[in-house]
Amino acid sequence: MYNPSEKILGENVSRYTLVMVVAKRARQIVQGSAIKVDIDEENPITIALREAEAGKLEYKEAE
């Protein structure tokens, strides 16, 4: 089965992790955080997804 989170965040990453990382980043963008990719888009979720695809987001898995 195709898992888009593997393409965006790497192997062994759940869809839940992808959703949480992108949602948190989208909230940061709404609050005025600088955008890390060059994109002509206003939707913060789309921007956060593009940042994840570009490898610009860092996250730490819970232990």
Side-chain angles (χ1 to χ4, degrees), residues 3 5 7 10 12 16 19 24 28-29 31 34-35 38 41 46 48-50 53-54 56 58 60:
N3 185 352
S5 61
K7 179 181 176 189
N12 301 321
Y16 177 79
V19 169
K24 183 174 182 178
Q28 291 172 348
I29 292 168
Q31 294 173 352
I35 297 171
D38 187 25
E41 181 64 47
T46 303
L49 278 169
R50 297 298 176 249
E53 286 177 340
K56 303 286 184 174
E58 295 180 14
K60 182 178 177 182

Side-chain angles (χ1 to χ4, degrees), residues 5 8-14 17 21 57-62:
S5 61
I8 296 173
L9 296 177
E11 292 182 26
N12 301 321
V13 176
S14 70
T17 300
V21 168
L57 300 183
E58 295 180 14
Y59 68 97
K60 182 178 177 182
E61 293 269 346

